[in-house]
Amino acid sequence: MLGKRVSFTGFGFWFLFQLCPKALARSAMLLDAAPATLRSQNRETVAQEAQVERVEREKLQEEELKKLYGLLRIGHYKTKPSDLETFLDAKGIIWLSLKSADQHVGLTISGIEEPVEDAAKAEELWLGRRQVPQNLSAQILSRDAGILEASQLRFVRMMRWCLHPELRGYGLGERLLEQSLVHLKMEKNVDAVAAHFGATSWLMKLWLRHAFIVFVSHNCDPSSGQHSVSVLIPLSDAAEKLV
């Protein structure tokens, strides 16, 4: 995939710190990753021209990947190098970039979540006796919200939504979301588009223009201190019924 891509395993980190100069170690772990630099006089042009397009993960070059990871680091405080490895290699991951010319100025990353097909496993999930972290939407909506039928749906979940910090105030955040949703709704055999995020008012208002809030967590997330909100955009009759 990437000629210079580095393994993000624990041993890899240890080896780099033991044998490589600090600058090389930082570069290898993408700690120096940053989004594209924008000149102030070009921001209006970028804001007018930027459109969302699909990113082919297997064709990403190292410098391009660094800029995209720079967007991820700024846009979501929990993003780690190991997350990037998952986003690059896991099956069913969808990268959508807001681009102007060759510059990435926004990014969404989404993933397909398959139904919990085993009936016994689905019931154990609903009863809170097990977890299915690979299908967060089913886990939240079945185990936490108590909707057994949610485990039978196929979701495409938006996991990251990131905008270049120098382009805030141009309406590009909504353009990134709207155009990303157009792509996600075209995925085959998907029952619903889903997202789960911290209950900040501006983010809830943004999503409410496109989706239904279907669940708010009872407890706050320990790391963010916020309640979690789940939203759905139904694409099938089964998802409409669930909503």
Side-chain angles (χ1 to χ4, degrees), residues 35-40 43 105 163-170 172:
T37 301
L38 300 177
R39 295 195 299 272
S40 58
R43 291 175 193 168
V105 296
L163 181 67
H164 199 296
E166 295 177 14
L167 290 173
R168 291 168 185 161
Y170 291 94
L172 288 180

Side-chain angles (χ1 to χ4, degrees), residues 20-31:
C20 300
K22 185 182 293 185
L24 178 58
R26 287 180 61 84
S27 177
M29 292 186 293
L30 296 178
L31 296 179

Side-chain angles (χ1 to χ4, degrees), residues 11 24 33 58 71-73 84 86 113 116 139 164 174 199 215 226 230:
F11 176 78
L24 178 58
E58 66 277 5
L71 284 171
L72 286 169
R73 289 181 63 203
L84 180 61
T86 298
E113 297 182 339
V116 182
Q139 179 165 296
H164 199 296
E174 182 134 19
F215 183 66
Q226 296 173 331
S230 298

